[in-house]
């Protein structure tokens, strides 16, 4: 399945247009609109420039899936381990996206139609995700491209309405630091790291396909974070759904939330299925994706969003060390350490992430961990034997 560059751009633009990105953007609001916007830009430059772009390019260059490329540095057991971890985080994202969507849909439906049902709203989203997964690829990208364009228009219409009715509020409360805000942005981009290569691996133009994909996500994600930030700053309300429900764009918002969740979550489910297929090599990937969606739907009916921020940080803790070791080995050393060294440094990086968070580095914990772990791997290579990349 070769995806055209325009479709890649719109695919990743659609991935970024989601209620989860907006909700995360609202968390940045305690910084105010100026510092908040700066944190969004800095975080996305780090997340997209240092992580997504090299990861997309490596998969495109080697024509392997995002997790498949780890075999060259971590071996077949590494692929199995990281496939399982990635499938679990993508299953988590599937549930999170369905929860976010049903909560927002119920808030708007209650205001517009005096009706709410967790089961019905979650089921509507899950069924549409399954439809997307089962579509023929040619039709999928035609429909997805059109839907994404309409979603982008709808989002900016809603933002225009919010900006027209609001004025800047003085925000109080919240202890969010600039470094923590940057980290939220980085980890949101980083959550796509273990799957962006699934969509660039079959391109005939590795560098262009990687740039186009990352630019699509960057544009869409910065816009969504900004919408979340300005919603709070201009209305004084942290609940984005409540603001939409009270605006004149309620029905448009309902449709945007439904279909933006679909265009994002079908990618999570499909890539989770790709990782499960790495483990068992049985069945059709799309049918695995349907199974992931059904399980995610079941989890969504009982999951709490109280730990959403911790979920983002957990993704950073697991996948930042993985990418740091992979990037240094492939792009700098052109060889690898012994598998034992690589797994040891990965485990140290994963466990050390939470400790580094206490330092509140202005560029975010992920950037600090990337630099320190890359340096550690490089220095280790000076006194130990190196092996050819598998």
């Amino acid at each position: 399945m070769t995806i055209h560059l325009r479709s890649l751009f719109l695919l990743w633009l659609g991935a970024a247009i989601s209620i989860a990105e907006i909700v995360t953007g609202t968390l940045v609001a305690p910084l105010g609109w100026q510092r908040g916007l700066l944190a969004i830009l800095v975080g996305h430059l780090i997340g997209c420039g240092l992580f997504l772009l090299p990861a997309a390019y490596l998969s495109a260059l080697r024509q392997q899936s995002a997790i498949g490329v780890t075999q060259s540095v971590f071996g077949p057991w590494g692929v199995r381990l990281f496939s399982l971890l990635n499938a679990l985080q993508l299953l988590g994202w599937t549930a999170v996206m369905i929860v976010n969507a049903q909560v927002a849909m119920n808030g708007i439906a209650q205001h517009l139609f005096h009706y709410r049902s967790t089961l019905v709203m979650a089921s509507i989203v899950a069924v549409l995700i399954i439809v997307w997964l089962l579509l023929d690829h040619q039709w999928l990208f035609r429909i997805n491209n059109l839907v994404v364009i309409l979603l982008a228009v709808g989002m900016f219409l809603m933002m225009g309405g919010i900006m027209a009715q609001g004025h800047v509020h003085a925000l109080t409360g919240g202890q969010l630091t600039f470094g923590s805000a940057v980290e939220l942005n980085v980890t949101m981009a980083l959550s796509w790291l273990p799957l962006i290569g699934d969509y660039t691996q079959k391109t005939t133009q590795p560098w262009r396909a990687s740039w186009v994909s990352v630019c699509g996500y960057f544009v869409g994600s910065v816009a969504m974070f900004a919408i979340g930030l300005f919603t709070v700053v201009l209305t004084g309300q942290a609940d984005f759904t409540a603001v939409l429900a009270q605006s004149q764009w309620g029905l448009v918002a309902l449709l945007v939330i439904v279909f933006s969740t679909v265009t994002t979550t079908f990618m999570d489910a499909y890539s989770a299925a790709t990782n499960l297929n790495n483990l068992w090599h049985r069945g059709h990937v799309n049918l695995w994706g349907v199974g992931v969606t059904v399980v995610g739907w079941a989890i969504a009916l009982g999951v709490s969003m109280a730990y959403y921020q911790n979920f983002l940080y957990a993704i950073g803790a697991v996948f930042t060390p993985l990418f740091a070791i992979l990037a240094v080995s492939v792009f700098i050393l052109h060889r690898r350490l012994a598998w034992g060294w690589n797994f040891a440094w990965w485990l140290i990086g994963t466990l050390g992430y939470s400790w580094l968070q206490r330092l509140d580095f202005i560029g975010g914990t992920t950037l600090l961990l990337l630099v320190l772990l890359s340096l550690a791997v490089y220095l280790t290579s000076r006194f130990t034997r190196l092996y050819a990349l598998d």
Side-chain angles (χ1 to χ4, degrees), residues 34-66:
Q34 292 174 314
R35 295 182 71 231
L37 197 56
L38 180 61
I40 290 171
L41 291 172
V42 170
H44 278 80
L45 286 171
I46 294 170
C48 294
L50 293 182
F51 290 94
L52 290 189
L53 186 58
Y57 178 67
L58 185 58
S59 286
L61 199 62
R62 290 175 169 253
Q63 296 193 321
Q64 291 178 295
S65 67

Side-chain angles (χ1 to χ4, degrees), residues 247-260:
S247 73
Q248 60 180 324
W249 300 101
L251 187 57
V252 173
L254 185 61
L255 295 173
V256 166
I257 288 167
V258 172
F259 285 100
S260 66

Side-chain angles (χ1 to χ4, degrees), residues 123 193 240 242 258 307 319 343 383:
S123 299
L193 175 65
F240 177 71
V258 172
Y307 301 103
F319 292 104
F343 277 111
F383 62 82

Side-chain angles (χ1 to χ4, degrees), residues 73-202:
V73 175
F74 289 92
W77 283 104
V79 171
R80 293 186 181 95
L81 171 63
F82 297 126
S83 291
L84 179 60
L85 291 174
N86 194 32
L88 289 173
Q89 75 104 357
L90 290 169
L91 175 61
W93 267 119
T94 301
V96 165
M97 294 300 296
I98 293 174
V99 171
N100 273 324
Q102 69 85 5
V103 169
M105 290 163 65
N106 272 315
I108 296 173
Q110 176 69 38
H111 182 79
L112 294 178
F113 311 116
H114 306 291
Y115 175 82
R116 66 184 299 119
S117 169
T118 298
L119 177 62
V120 170
M121 298 303 180
S123 299
I124 288 172
V125 175
V127 168
L128 285 171
I129 293 168
I130 290 171
V131 169
W132 244 247
L133 286 166
L134 296 180
L135 279 172
D136 173 78
H137 279 117
Q138 186 176 6
W139 279 103
L140 167 64
F141 287 105
R142 287 179 180 175
I143 295 172
N144 194 74
N145 290 353
L146 176 61
V147 169
V148 169
I149 291 170
L150 293 175
L151 288 175
V153 172
M155 279 292 187
F156 283 108
L157 284 174
M158 289 188 298
M159 187 58 198
I162 291 170
M163 294 186 72
Q165 70 177 4
H167 61 278
V168 176
H169 287 69
L171 300 176
T172 58
Q175 300 297 318
L176 188 72
T177 64
F178 186 84
S180 297
V182 168
E183 184 65 8
L184 284 174
N185 288 267
V186 174
T187 50
M188 182 61 81
L190 196 66
S191 69
W192 294 105
L193 175 65
L195 64 146
I196 190 169
D198 295 348
Y199 300 90
T200 60
Q201 63 176 314
K202 295 186 179 179

Side-chain angles (χ1 to χ4, degrees), residues 297-322:
W297 166 81
I299 294 172
L301 294 178
V303 74
S304 168
M305 290 299 292
Y307 301 103
Y308 174 60
Q309 198 165 326
N310 290 332
F311 174 62
L312 289 178
Y313 291 146
I315 292 171
V318 171
F319 292 104
T320 299
L322 168 62

